[in-house]
């Protein structure tokens, strides 16, 4: 849940855009844990936006997000924009190129109105969830990740969603469980900018958000 606005202050909003509402809901729980200082209300746009393979259409899509974000903030201050993209690839040189291309365009688009951050998840958001293994049994008591899974480079797992389904067994994991898993990770105090597990793509957004000014 997003924090309640502080009485006497102008209401402020962070807008999340992405490909899937479940991933956006995951970020609604994650962003307050990474945000420096008190976090504004976090909302997400329901229309899916796909950026990873966008070339000539990247700038128009970002402008669309900007227009929506300003409209969604309404009378509130737009305090930031976070965009989620499933890379559908591991953290390698291509990851670096994609992140650089989208981040540079985002900064150019949003620099005059608010800070921005790119949640470029490698391979998928499920690899981020696996950074917080203590949260899984809170959602389903039979779900446990083996120690070998906790120690590996999670940014190198191909098809992370399918991999997580195999790791957890029954009841089968589905993407609709993802927001609750992140919610439990945050509630349990497990979410930090530098978790025990390894995933370069998670560290990148944590570092980006650390550079935001506290509200």
């Amino acid at each position: 849940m997003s924090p309640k606005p502080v009485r006497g202050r102008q209401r402020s909003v962070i807008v999340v855009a992405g490909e899937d509402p479940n991933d956006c809901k995951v970020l609604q729980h994650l962003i307050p844990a990474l945000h420096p200082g008190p976090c504004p209300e976090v909302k997400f746009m329901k229309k899916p936006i796909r950026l990873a393979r966008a070339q000539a259409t990247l700038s128009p899509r970002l402008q669309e997000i900007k227009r929506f974000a300003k409209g969604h903030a309404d009378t509130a201050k737009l305090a930031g924009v976070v965009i989620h993209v499933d890379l559908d690839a591991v953290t390698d040189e291509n990851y670096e190129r994609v992140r650089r291309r989208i981040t540079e365009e985002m900064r150019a688009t949003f620099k005059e109105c608010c800070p921005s951050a790119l949640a470029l998840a490698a391979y998928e958001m499920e690899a981020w969830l696996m950074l917080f293994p203590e949260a899984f049994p809170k959602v389903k008591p039979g779900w446990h990740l083996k120690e070998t899974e906790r120690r590996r480079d999670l940014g190198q797992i191909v098809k992370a969603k399918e991999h997580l389904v195999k790791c957890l067994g029954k009841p089968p994991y589905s993407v609709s469980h993802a927001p609750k898993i992140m919610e439990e990770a945050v509630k349990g105090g497990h979410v930090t900018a530098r978790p025990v597990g390894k995933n370069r793509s998670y560290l990148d957004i944590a570092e980006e958000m650390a550079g935001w000014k506290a509200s």
Side-chain angles (χ1 to χ4, degrees):
M1 297 292 290
S2 299
K4 293 182 179 179
V6 179
R7 185 173 294 179
R9 288 186 183 179
Q10 181 186 13
R11 177 170 157 268
S12 57
V13 172
I14 293 173
V15 172
V16 176
E19 302 176 12
D20 182 88
N22 288 300
D23 291 327
C24 290
K25 290 174 185 177
V26 168
L27 289 172
Q28 277 189 302
H29 295 296
L30 177 61
I31 288 168
L34 298 179
H35 189 276
C39 186
E41 181 182 359
V42 182
K43 294 188 171 185
F44 71 90
M45 56 185 292
K46 295 180 180 179
K47 180 180 178 180
I49 297 290
R50 294 174 174 84
L51 297 182
R53 295 174 179 83
Q55 296 290 336
T57 58
L58 179 56
S59 181
R61 292 182 191 184
L62 290 175
Q63 289 295 337
E64 180 183 357
I65 293 172
K66 183 179 180 180
R67 288 192 298 272
F68 175 88
K70 285 185 171 182
H72 215 44
D74 193 19
T75 58
K77 173 188 175 183
L78 181 59
V81 171
V82 177
I83 299 178
H84 166 261
V85 178
D86 273 336
L87 181 64
D88 293 335
V90 299
T91 47
D92 57 12
E93 291 182 0
N94 181 62
Y95 165 81
E96 299 283 355
R97 287 193 294 270
V98 173
R99 170 166 261 285
R100 191 181 310 115
R101 175 173 58 84
I102 298 178
T103 299
E104 288 176 355
E105 194 73 40
M106 284 176 62
R107 287 175 180 167
T109 301
F110 298 106
K111 65 181 179 180
E112 295 181 358
C113 63
C114 65
S116 61
L118 174 62
L120 181 62
Y123 189 92
E124 296 159 320
M125 184 69 82
E126 280 70 18
W128 287 16
L129 298 178
M130 292 175 71
L131 290 167
F132 314 109
E134 297 87 353
F136 287 91
K138 298 289 185 182
V139 178
K140 298 290 181 182
W143 283 356
H144 296 279
L145 290 178
K146 295 179 180 178
E147 191 65 29
T148 52
E149 296 299 328
R150 301 180 184 209
R151 294 175 183 234
R152 67 188 299 174
D153 183 349
L154 299 170
Q156 295 295 312
I157 298 177
V158 176
K159 297 185 178 179
K161 192 178 301 170
E162 295 178 16
H163 181 83
L164 184 59
V165 170
K166 292 178 182 177
C167 287
L168 295 179
K170 295 183 179 180
Y173 166 84
S174 77
V175 293
S176 62
H177 292 116
K180 184 63 177 175
I181 293 168
M182 184 58 75
E183 180 183 9
E184 291 295 339
V186 172
K187 284 168 58 177
H190 306 301
V191 177
T192 67
R194 295 248 170 212
V196 174
K198 182 180 178 182
N199 188 321
R200 166 70 188 281
S201 66
Y202 174 87
L203 294 179
D204 281 340
I205 187 176
E207 183 177 330
E208 264 196 291
M209 292 207 62
W212 289 19
K213 292 181 180 179
S215 300

